[in-house]
Amino acid sequence: MHTILLLATLLADDPITVSVGKSAAAPYRAALSDYRDAEAALKEGKFALAREKAESILENPKIEKEKRDCLLRIQNQDSTWSNPVEFFPLRARGQALLELAKKQLADGNKDVALASLEAARKDLEESASRFVPRSKELAAEVEDLIRTHSAADDVQHAYDAKMKAALQAESQRRHPEARRFFEEALVLKPGDPEARNGLERIDRRIAEEQRYRQILAIQDPQEKLKACDDFQTDFPTSVYRESVTTLRAQLRNELDADLNTREGRFKNVWFELKEKRRFKSALDHVRKEGGFLPPEKRAGYERQTLEACDAFVANVVRDFERETSLLGPPTDLPSGDELVMTDPALECCRTLQTSMIKLRELGPVPPERTIELLTPAWLACLALIDREDTSLIQIVASLLKEPIEQRLRTIARQADQALPQELEKLRAEAERLLAWSRKGLDDALARMPDHGKTWRERHAFWTEIQAALREIVKEFPLEDPAVDATAAELLDSDDPAGPYGASPRKALRQIEDKLNALREVKKLTRYCRRRLLAALIVAAAQRHLLQGQDVPETAKKLTDYAAALRDCGGPLDSDVQRFGPKIEEVFRRLR
């Protein structure tokens, strides 16, 4: 008989419904919890955790094979039965293995990925045979990936041809062409070490050639000599090493002869000051000691000093951007004593560093305090809005995003527990924080000729941050007036279509359906959920009582509503007392 029922269920193209008696229910309840955790992990992208949760079910000897990937009914202790619920651990594990295989393929672990895909295919085919939704489509996706990545011969042939062409171009010093072939080989076999090493080697050759050409273009002998020294340090095995060594010897001879001249002595002092990053002293030396030089030559020394200072500051800012961290040690920033220019980016770095040092000293602090300490850095970085490079703005925006998110989520949690009169205050606080987070940058963008349109298109990070924060506020719980309006229908004796009219059971069912709809589609506050669930119990209880059922029978059928109501804090006294003694007795039994 069991086999006939099973075949009949399979022929219906719907998942199998399986019942578990109360004597065997405990492991299945635990397995259902693990299954829900697996599905949640899949939604959050935690695929390894999803696989682990599903495997714990599938490897449990207390879970019978014919009672997995089915709709599961479990008998309660009072001998009632739960509604059928989804229980698809095979599909969950198959989907997790599929997603893990995709990542393994992206990381270049094809063999591991194919093994994962084979395991996923087995799980999903068994799940599909039980008519589990989406299992068939997932199995088809697995099959496509196996077919695609098993046909590797054509890829290998194309890869070999690209590598051969790349090595030939490299041997003939056709470096750009060799680089292109190596890149194309990496497209065919992502992460391939031989192609990657070839690309890195070509990039070094190109860098050597560019540096050598730059050295030849330098006019100043002292600068050219230093460039030769730097080249030999950076490229100790370069093909240009002999040429650079010869050039360096020539320059050294010229400079040694020049040392005896007045300009030679002047230049040596200036060069040493500049190399020690004493730009103000170097500029003072040019202006005080360079009077004997022709005006255009003196102006050249001044210009080189300013350019060197500008380049130094730019490098300091780049290093700060790369190394900055709330967890790491402070990055060294130069004082302004020997700089001959001011740069808003450097000032922003100093302001941010001060904030970060303070945060490290304080340790963990509330989000509001973090926002307060980072605000000066945020205002400072807005002076860089006109620059192409937005790295500092992005760094400060990212540092601010986390505490703002934390505070918004805290407010959202408080809102869930809030009474109606408190809810609007919390929402207003969240809106103020959201408005503050965008005001500074939005005001700066508004002053641009196109009101920041081009800037926003080019730098999507700001729109993405604001969208993420706005989503938190959108998820705030509601105090929906429709709940009380629908609940009031339970007491409306003047409505001929209401509970006191000609068709009371129909009216009560409609009220119950409307309340369930509000419960499902809207995120309500805890206080609002209490009133909604109490009204649901009243509507359902009255309907059952009208059908001739007694109070104990009615109460048994409302246990799901009652459990949800207890989670929200239980009914309000006013909800219990205004519907008569039978309803009061129902609530008493449901406590």
Side-chain angles (χ1 to χ4, degrees):
M1 184 64 180
H2 176 75
T3 303
I4 294 172
L5 289 173
L6 179 59
L7 288 172
T9 306
L10 288 173
L11 292 172
D13 282 354
D14 288 323
I16 303 166
T17 299
V18 175
S19 300
V20 176
K22 59 185 177 183
S23 62
Y28 286 90
R29 293 187 192 280
L32 271 176
S33 176
D34 285 343
Y35 169 68
R36 294 187 184 107
D37 290 345
E39 288 292 334
L42 284 172
K43 291 178 181 178
E44 296 170 4
K46 300 176 180 177
F47 304 120
L49 176 60
R51 180 185 62 186
E52 179 184 335
K53 289 289 183 180
E55 282 182 350
S56 70
I57 300 169
L58 297 170
E59 294 175 1
N60 187 345
K62 295 182 180 180
I63 305 300
E64 300 177 40
K65 287 189 176 182
E66 60 270 19
K67 292 182 180 179
R68 62 190 191 186
D69 276 57
C70 61
L71 297 178
L72 199 62
R73 293 175 69 243
I74 299 178
Q75 188 178 29
N76 300 315
Q77 288 300 317
D78 59 2
S79 297
T80 60
W81 289 86
S82 69
N83 292 327
V85 294
E86 293 184 352
F87 183 56
F88 306 145
L90 280 168
R91 187 188 71 182
R93 185 172 69 176
Q95 185 177 354
L97 286 167
L98 169 59
E99 296 300 334
L100 289 170
K102 290 177 182 177
K103 185 177 185 303
Q104 290 157 358
L105 287 171
D107 293 339
N109 299 325
K110 188 178 76 172
D111 292 340
V112 177
L114 286 173
S116 297
L117 289 169
E118 288 293 345
R121 176 164 61 183
K122 181 179 178 182
D123 282 349
L124 293 170
E125 284 178 349
E126 182 178 345
S127 181
S129 72
R130 293 169 174 265
F131 302 104
V132 171
R134 295 195 300 112
S135 291
K136 183 177 179 181
E137 291 79 2
L138 290 168
E141 184 179 354
V142 169
E143 198 64 45
D144 287 343
L145 284 172
I146 292 174
R147 186 166 50 252
T148 298
H149 292 281
S150 294
D153 291 342
D154 291 342
V155 174
Q156 183 65 40
H157 180 75
Y159 166 81
D160 291 341
K162 296 294 183 185
M163 289 297 291
K164 181 178 179 181
L167 293 172
Q168 183 177 1
E170 181 182 5
S171 67
Q172 297 172 358
R173 291 197 178 185
R174 292 182 283 115
H175 295 144
E177 185 178 347
R179 191 181 197 285
R180 177 170 57 82
F181 283 128
F182 279 127
E183 285 180 332
E184 291 172 356
L186 275 174
V187 170
L188 293 168
K189 293 178 67 173
D192 177 68
E194 187 176 354
R196 186 174 62 245
N197 291 339
L199 187 60
E200 292 173 356
R201 187 171 62 250
I202 286 296
D203 284 340
R204 285 196 301 273
R205 294 287 181 262
I206 292 173
E208 290 170 10
E209 184 175 356
Q210 289 175 343
R211 283 280 292 276
Y212 182 69
R213 293 182 184 278
Q214 289 170 0
I215 290 173
L216 297 180
I218 296 173
Q219 298 299 316
D220 184 273
Q222 194 81 41
E223 294 283 355
K224 185 176 286 192
L225 179 65
K226 184 177 184 303
C228 289
D229 292 338
D230 292 343
F231 184 96
Q232 291 179 325
T233 300
D234 295 340
F235 306 105
T237 60
S238 170
V239 295
Y240 296 100
R241 182 173 181 79
E242 185 176 346
S243 300
V244 171
T245 301
T246 302
L247 177 60
R248 187 186 183 286
Q250 294 172 353
L251 290 167
R252 186 73 269 170
N253 290 335
E254 293 174 9
L255 288 170
D256 287 345
D258 192 46
L259 282 174
N260 295 321
T261 68
R262 186 176 181 186
E263 184 177 356
R265 291 191 295 273
F266 165 85
K267 186 188 295 185
N268 286 337
V269 174
W270 168 81
F271 187 81
E272 183 177 356
L273 291 170
K274 182 167 67 73
E275 288 302 298
K276 290 181 178 179
R277 312 293 188 243
R278 296 175 58 190
F279 302 107
K280 188 174 183 301
S281 297
L283 195 59
D284 289 344
H285 175 70
V286 171
R287 292 170 177 172
K288 292 177 182 178
E289 306 296 333
F292 66 94
L293 295 168
E296 64 275 9
K297 205 162 193 178
R298 188 167 63 251
Y301 282 112
E302 290 186 4
R303 184 182 66 255
Q304 290 179 62
T305 305
L306 294 171
E307 289 173 351
C309 183
D310 185 58
F312 170 68
V313 169
N315 286 332
V316 167
V317 170
R318 277 195 297 272
D319 290 344
F320 182 87
E321 292 169 353
R322 185 174 60 253
E323 298 170 7
T324 187
S325 167
L326 284 174
L327 302 176
T331 303
D332 288 334
L333 293 174
S335 69
D337 296 343
E338 280 290 345
L339 301 180
V340 292
M341 53 157 307
T342 58
D343 186 353
L346 183 58
E347 294 307 312
C348 179
C349 292
R350 289 196 179 105
T351 306
L352 178 57
Q353 186 183 67
T354 300
S355 299
M356 292 166 64
I357 291 173
K358 185 67 175 176
L359 283 168
R360 277 192 292 269
E361 291 173 350
L362 291 174
V365 294
E368 302 93 311
R369 181 60 171 149
T370 303
I371 295 169
E372 177 187 344
L373 289 172
L374 289 172
T375 296
W378 178 239
L379 297 176
C381 76
L382 294 180
L384 312 176
I385 195 72
D386 294 327
R387 299 192 178 187
E388 182 69 23
D389 185 0
T390 61
S391 300
L392 275 172
I393 297 178
Q394 292 190 51
I395 288 171
V396 182
S398 298
L399 290 173
L400 271 171
K401 177 175 177 282
E402 182 177 351
I404 293 175
E405 276 188 340
Q406 290 176 356
R407 181 54 189 155
L408 286 175
R409 294 191 189 282
T410 299
I411 297 172
R413 287 193 297 271
Q414 292 171 344
D416 183 59
Q417 305 293 324
L419 295 174
Q421 60 269 29
E422 300 168 343
L423 185 62
E424 287 307 312
K425 293 180 181 179
L426 292 168
R427 181 176 290 279
E429 181 183 351
E431 291 290 350
R432 282 196 301 272
L433 183 56
L434 197 63
W436 177 89
S437 72
R438 63 173 181 266
K439 179 173 174 52
L441 186 55
D442 282 355
D443 288 348
L445 293 174
R447 291 191 289 271
M448 291 184 168
D450 65 348
H451 302 290
K453 180 176 180 295
T454 303
W455 192 94
R456 293 178 193 276
E457 291 172 352
R458 189 178 300 150
H459 308 295
F461 76 92
W462 181 243
T463 302
E464 292 168 359
I465 287 176
Q466 287 300 311
L469 297 177
R470 172 56 65 184
E471 280 302 312
I472 299 174
V473 177
K474 283 183 180 178
E475 291 299 316
F476 265 45
L478 302 172
E479 182 67 33
D480 192 344
V483 171
D484 292 332
T486 306
E489 295 177 17
L490 293 167
L491 294 170
D492 188 356
S493 58
D494 296 328
D495 184 2
Y500 296 91
S503 303
R505 284 187 294 174
K506 179 181 177 182
L508 289 167
R509 168 59 75 184
Q510 291 174 343
I511 291 172
E512 191 176 348
D513 289 344
K514 284 196 285 186
L515 290 169
N516 270 318
L518 290 171
R519 182 186 179 194
E520 290 174 4
V521 302
K522 293 191 176 182
K523 184 174 183 180
L524 304 174
T525 65
R526 182 170 179 267
Y527 185 70
C528 192
R529 294 197 302 274
R530 289 176 69 185
R531 304 198 308 277
L532 182 147
L533 288 162
L536 264 174
I537 290 175
V538 171
Q542 287 182 339
R543 181 168 54 80
H544 289 305
L545 291 169
L546 284 173
Q547 290 172 346
Q549 298 170 11
D550 59 17
V551 168
E553 290 175 319
T554 297
K556 282 183 180 180
K557 294 188 176 183
L558 301 178
T559 53
D560 287 345
Y561 288 159
L565 181 57
R566 283 195 297 273
D567 290 343
C568 297
L572 301 170
D573 290 341
S574 58
D575 291 332
V576 174
Q577 297 167 358
R578 58 180 174 166
F579 292 98
K582 286 190 176 181
I583 299 299
E584 283 190 57
E585 178 62 18
V586 170
F587 274 110
R588 188 187 68 76
R589 287 176 174 271
L590 291 175
R591 291 184 188 278

